[in-house]
Amino acid sequence: MMMGLQIADQLNRPLRDLRISVTDRCNFRCRYCMPEEIFGLDYPFLPKDKILTFEEITRLAELFVSLGITKLRITGGEPLLRKDLPTLIRSLSHIEGVGDIALTTNGVFLPKYAEELRAAGLERVTVSLDSLDDERFRQMNGGKAGVQAVLDGIQAAAQAGLQVKINMVVQKGVNDQDILPMAAYFQEKKINLRFIEFMDVGNTNGWKLDQVVPKQQIIDLIHEQMPLEPIEARYKGEVATRYRYQGTDQEVGMISSVTDAFCSTCTRARISAEGSLYTCLFASKGYELRDMLRSGQTDDEIRAYIERIWRGRTDRYSEERLSHTQVSSKIEMSHIGG
Ligand code: SAM
Ligand code: SF4
Ligand code: SF4
């Protein structure tokens, strides 16, 4: 595999992972991400001409790969709402130097697209599922789908030969009673489940620190019923803290952006659907790349701009969070996709 240039930011973190949002729209209205009262019928979603084309995304991905990116993740909004997504996956999978392409999805459209995505070169999907209780799940996603629709998606993905992981956002008082049932269900199914601490992304989800269930509490809760043992990190910067159910090789993970931040090893850049570069999930400012792509700038010029931005990067929001929970006007999660 060809390795790109290695560039490091101000905290000596290389550029390794690129998350690409392909749409700001979603068929769900998860309360913690796109609450219906804000993302309603009259919400001004991006018009088509403001969204990067597949050619533009591929060109940017190539430039990022030449700067050290080896892993791509497609996200949204709901990425499977983007028409012909397998076509984009196919062109990204042809970029030399890309070692891994993954997709984060709510899963509902996987029965329709899993085979095609796999054939196009997708290797992994992360499916978000916050509860196995139908009523609670519907409450959380704005009444847009039941649990079975997502389980069907998970099954379709596995059958198509995609590696599957599940993400569960845990919100105290909302779905913390689902931690154990989810752990037991996915252990039995031999699918990796990751618990995610509820985060203060964007400005619309009404985040409060007391709605976070700390990673250690989740571990303790599961450990009491289903004993766990820690697994060594595979590489520096691994987002999830991983455990194994004792006596099995089945894993479970925790993503603890709030109580145990991992900024010091954060190698992730993000591109929003309209082509802005964000150097942190919690950034309030993006760097416009779309106009550069559309105004005839050369690859070298755009590459130099991205390089300059990364080299100047100082973000470590989660490490600083507890000292400044009030930050003005952050980018919404549905815009850059987690
Ligand atoms: N629509 C796709 C999905 O839900 O998987 C992809 C985009 S979604 C923004 C990506 C991930 O971010 C999902 O796993 C979702 O649960 C997570 N997420 C959204 N808002 C969050 C929040 N406030 N705290 C923690 N995770 C969040
Ligand atoms: Fe949509 Fe994903 Fe946000 Fe839920 S978390 S509203 S599925 S983008
Ligand atoms: Fe990376 Fe920003 Fe998250 Fe820290 S807060 S891990 S810098 S995205």
Side-chain angles (χ1 to χ4, degrees), residues 197-235:
E197 289 180 348
F198 177 45
M199 296 185 290
D200 50 335
V201 198
N203 314 293
T204 52
N205 71 3
W207 185 84
K208 292 200 191 68
L209 184 57
D210 61 13
Q211 289 179 313
V212 177
V213 182
K215 149 171 107 168
Q216 195 55 47
Q217 267 181 29
I218 301 176
I219 296 167
D220 293 348
L221 185 72
I222 300 174
H223 184 67
E224 242 175 61
Q225 302 288 323
M226 306 157 72
L228 297 173
E229 61 194 17
I231 305 179
E232 284 282 303
R234 264 176 303 219
Y235 54 89

Side-chain angles (χ1 to χ4, degrees), residues 26 28 30 32-34 77 106:
C26 189
F28 279 19
C30 301
Y32 55 66
C33 179
M34 296 176 78
N106 62 35

Side-chain angles (χ1 to χ4, degrees), residues 187-307:
Q187 186 216 14
E188 210 259 315
K189 295 271 175 211
K190 300 194 184 319
I191 295 179
N192 283 2
L193 168 65
R194 282 118 44 99
F195 295 95
I196 302 183
E197 289 180 348
F198 177 45
M199 296 185 290
D200 50 335
V201 198
N203 314 293
T204 52
N205 71 3
W207 185 84
K208 292 200 191 68
L209 184 57
D210 61 13
Q211 289 179 313
V212 177
V213 182
K215 149 171 107 168
Q216 195 55 47
Q217 267 181 29
I218 301 176
I219 296 167
D220 293 348
L221 185 72
I222 300 174
H223 184 67
E224 242 175 61
Q225 302 288 323
M226 306 157 72
L228 297 173
E229 61 194 17
I231 305 179
E232 284 282 303
R234 264 176 303 219
Y235 54 89
K236 196 166 174 275
E238 195 168 42
V239 174
T241 314
R242 298 182 302 135
Y243 287 80
R244 180 183 301 119
Y245 295 104
Q246 282 177 24
T248 74
D249 55 7
Q250 185 52 46
E251 278 183 29
V252 60
M254 320 284 150
I255 301 181
S256 56
S257 146
V258 180
T259 66
D260 186 12
F262 37 82
C263 300
S264 62
T265 54
C266 177
T267 55
R268 285 173 291 284
R270 297 173 157 86
I271 302 175
S272 65
E274 74 265 54
S276 295
L277 166 63
Y278 290 86
T279 55
C280 178
L281 180 54
F282 301 92
S284 37
K285 172 176 180 296
Y287 302 88
E288 249 274 33
L289 300 178
R290 187 189 61 214
D291 285 352
M292 294 188 87
L293 293 167
R294 293 185 183 177
S295 63
Q297 308 246 7
T298 64
D299 283 355
D300 284 345
E301 285 166 332
I302 301 174
R303 190 187 294 108
Y305 180 60
I306 297 169
E307 181 172 344

Side-chain angles (χ1 to χ4, degrees), residues 80-91:
L80 292 178
L81 283 182
R82 180 79 188 250
K83 198 163 165 277
D84 297 328
L85 192 71
T87 305
L88 174 66
I89 301 288
R90 179 161 286 113
S91 62

Side-chain angles (χ1 to χ4, degrees), residues 7-244:
I7 57 170
D9 70 8
Q10 292 292 306
L11 302 174
N12 206 22
R13 298 168 297 188
L15 176 59
R16 282 276 173 270
D17 316 65
L18 182 63
R19 300 191 172 198
I20 304 168
S21 172
V22 292
T23 178
D24 61 338
R25 290 164 202 257
C26 189
N27 53 322
F28 279 19
R29 286 293 177 273
C30 301
R31 299 223 44 88
Y32 55 66
C33 179
M34 296 176 78
E36 182 106 54
E37 51 292 3
I38 292 161
F39 294 87
L41 283 179
D42 50 2
Y43 185 82
F45 288 104
L46 292 166
K48 193 162 175 241
D49 64 326
K50 294 258 175 0
I51 290 186
L52 295 188
T53 64
F54 288 170
E55 290 71 24
E56 289 168 337
I57 292 174
T58 305
R59 182 175 171 207
L60 273 185
E62 281 166 349
L63 292 173
F64 273 91
V65 168
S66 73
L67 289 168
I69 291 285
T70 57
K71 291 165 86 175
L72 300 178
R73 178 171 292 276
I74 307 301
T75 177
E78 173 45 48
L80 292 178
L81 283 182
R82 180 79 188 250
K83 198 163 165 277
D84 297 328
L85 192 71
T87 305
L88 174 66
I89 301 288
R90 179 161 286 113
S91 62
L92 295 176
S93 72
H94 288 144
I95 300 176
E96 200 189 337
V98 174
D100 185 29
I101 306 182
L103 172 81
T104 307
T105 171
N106 62 35
V108 167
F109 300 112
L110 281 173
K112 191 163 171 201
Y113 293 118
E115 293 278 349
E116 230 184 303
L117 290 165
R118 180 72 193 104
L122 187 71
E123 285 150 43
R124 304 192 293 123
V125 283
T126 301
V127 180
S128 306
L129 178 63
D130 296 330
S131 178
L132 288 167
D133 177 278
D134 210 51
E135 200 179 319
R136 243 181 338 267
F137 184 54
R138 284 179 190 275
Q139 262 164 21
M140 290 185 79
N141 68 35
K144 303 298 180 191
V147 172
Q148 193 56 47
V150 181
L151 295 180
D152 290 347
I154 294 168
Q155 194 186 4
Q159 264 169 9
L162 291 161
Q163 277 182 50
V164 183
K165 281 187 192 148
I166 310 298
N167 273 358
M168 169 180 174
V169 176
V170 182
Q171 234 182 315
K172 194 178 281 175
V174 177
N175 66 338
D176 43 350
Q177 67 272 59
D178 295 309
I179 295 172
L180 279 177
M182 286 281 288
Y185 182 86
F186 286 107
Q187 186 216 14
E188 210 259 315
K189 295 271 175 211
K190 300 194 184 319
I191 295 179
N192 283 2
L193 168 65
R194 282 118 44 99
F195 295 95
I196 302 183
E197 289 180 348
F198 177 45
M199 296 185 290
D200 50 335
V201 198
N203 314 293
T204 52
N205 71 3
W207 185 84
K208 292 200 191 68
L209 184 57
D210 61 13
Q211 289 179 313
V212 177
V213 182
K215 149 171 107 168
Q216 195 55 47
Q217 267 181 29
I218 301 176
I219 296 167
D220 293 348
L221 185 72
I222 300 174
H223 184 67
E224 242 175 61
Q225 302 288 323
M226 306 157 72
L228 297 173
E229 61 194 17
I231 305 179
E232 284 282 303
R234 264 176 303 219
Y235 54 89
K236 196 166 174 275
E238 195 168 42
V239 174
T241 314
R242 298 182 302 135
Y243 287 80
R244 180 183 301 119

